[in-house]
Amino acid sequence: MPDPAIAAATRQVLDMLDNPAGRPCVHSFFDEKTFTATHVVHDPATRAAAIIDSVMDYDPASGRTSYASAQKIVDYVRENRLDVIWQLETHAHADHLSAAPWLKSQLGGQIGIGADIVQVQQTFGTIFNAGTHFTRDGSQFDHLFTDGEQFSLGTLRATALHVPGHTPADMAFVIGDAAFIGDTLFMPDYGTARADFPGGSARMLYRSIRRLLSLPPATRLFLCHDYKAPGRDSYAWETTIGAERAANVHVHDGISEDAFVDMRTKRDAGLSLPNLIMPSVQVNMRAGHLPEAEENGVSYIKIPINTL
């Protein structure tokens, strides 16, 4: 049965390949502390822009937050006179804290994430004992995207794709001929994302990846992370569907679902948790807002003992 969401995304990519002058402009910022790539994508015709997967600086030793990394984005947006329409999150990250609310206060834009964030909120709201004041309905975000949802960025057409597996709520945003795919895939020489977080699934991740890989080979892919594969000296976060299909070390064409699940499951069993998972999830499940301050006016990050 044809996949209507992929069909819509494919049409917009092909239209953009026929009209390269109108393709989206992408400028990326890499935070080496968290190995995170934040992308600013804009329509060259209208200068309407989206900021995807932003980073708030966080010092785990002191618990202090700051915005030096996000300020670079503010400076870029203002220097280029961009009009920020969206602050997009591909998922509730477990390795960095989102700067979306602060960037919204500086530049505007609705904070959007996949509708299945409610599953993540329910799971981690329980793990962190967030209490009844923490609503688990996604209302902390301005917009919840559904699979196949069409939206626009100026004159550019865009499609939201649900790509669960790394988490239940992962979304990819295909804007013009560029796909922003979060933590589903890494550079071809590094492979794929882990699938062992609560609600994750290696089998679901494989199916989501194969869904993405059905987009046209020339589709530009912008990744959320890079860790420099062995033998590579520089960080990289842009590739193509064709390059991933040909050479991804975990999931290139010809790798079966069962083989991938076996590899991913064994690999994940030896991974430690991300260094910033405790603060990241508690903040990101709240759309980048800190936990509600307690009676002394201080906000706290909880660490569940012997739980994760």
Side-chain angles (χ1 to χ4, degrees):
M1 186 175 180
D3 185 330
I6 291 294
T10 295
R11 285 194 297 273
Q12 76 185 43
V13 169
L14 293 175
D15 287 347
M16 202 96 289
L17 294 175
D18 288 338
N19 179 30
R23 74 196 312 217
C25 300
V26 182
H27 188 84
S28 303
F29 297 80
F30 190 75
D31 178 55
E32 194 167 340
K33 289 182 179 178
T34 61
F35 307 100
T36 303
T38 297
H39 308 292
V40 180
V41 53
H42 78 266
D43 171 21
T46 65
R47 311 201 76 73
I51 300 170
I52 303 173
D53 293 334
S54 60
V55 175
M56 175 171 66
D57 300 313
Y58 177 78
D59 176 22
S62 66
R64 290 194 174 276
T65 61
S66 59
Y67 296 98
S69 297
Q71 184 62 51
K72 295 176 184 177
I73 296 172
V74 172
D75 295 343
Y76 171 81
V77 167
R78 289 175 176 166
E79 288 169 7
N80 289 277
R81 304 185 308 280
L82 304 182
D83 178 19
V84 177
I85 307 300
W86 289 105
Q87 305 279 350
L88 298 176
E89 302 286 358
T90 56
H91 62 294
H93 313 275
D95 40 30
H96 70 271
L97 287 68
S98 171
W102 186 81
L103 285 168
K104 178 180 177 179
S105 73
Q106 300 295 306
L107 301 170
Q110 293 188 80
I111 302 175
I113 200 168
D116 284 277
I117 186 63
V118 297
Q119 293 186 42
V120 175
Q121 290 178 326
Q122 289 162 359
T123 298
F124 283 98
T126 299
I127 289 173
F128 290 112
N129 197 28
T132 56
H133 60 275
F134 171 58
T135 56
R136 296 155 168 82
D137 59 2
S139 58
Q140 299 87 348
F141 298 83
D142 297 316
H143 186 80
L144 301 181
F145 285 94
T146 58
D147 183 44
E149 182 174 345
Q150 303 283 297
F151 63 107
S152 62
L153 190 66
T155 62
L156 297 172
R157 288 183 293 159
T159 304
L161 300 174
H162 186 211
V163 286
H166 175 61
T167 80
D170 281 61
M171 298 295 289
F173 298 102
V174 185
I175 302 174
D177 72 332
F180 302 86
I181 62 172
D183 287 12
T184 50
L185 287 164
F186 298 135
M187 291 299 290
D189 60 359
Y190 200 86
T192 59
R194 65 193 298 165
D196 60 332
F197 294 141
S201 165
R203 195 165 298 278
M204 195 175 294
L205 178 61
Y206 178 88
R207 295 173 184 177
S208 292
I209 289 171
R210 295 313 307 180
R211 189 181 191 215
L212 285 173
L213 294 182
S214 67
L215 291 169
T219 306
R220 294 183 289 161
L221 295 187
F222 291 89
L223 318 177
C224 189
H225 294 288
D226 186 56
Y227 305 95
K228 289 197 291 192
R232 176 156 52 85
D233 295 328
S234 60
Y235 292 106
W237 47 81
E238 181 181 354
T239 182
T240 65
I241 290 290
E244 295 282 9
R245 291 187 63 169
N248 186 285
V249 293
H250 292 168
V251 72
H252 58 77
D253 286 354
I255 299 293
S256 72
E257 181 173 322
D258 287 343
F260 175 82
V261 170
D262 182 64
M263 177 281 300
R264 190 70 264 172
T265 302
K266 291 176 179 176
R267 188 179 180 89
D268 290 349
L271 297 177
S272 58
L273 288 175
N275 291 335
L276 294 181
I277 187 172
M278 299 299 180
S280 294
V281 174
Q282 289 176 77
V283 167
N284 296 336
M285 70 183 186
R286 293 175 165 89
H289 297 283
L290 298 176
E292 185 176 333
E294 298 190 10
E295 62 273 9
N296 61 355
V298 177
S299 179
Y300 290 88
I301 296 294
K302 295 181 178 180
I303 299 179
I305 305 300
N306 299 324
T307 300
L308 291 174

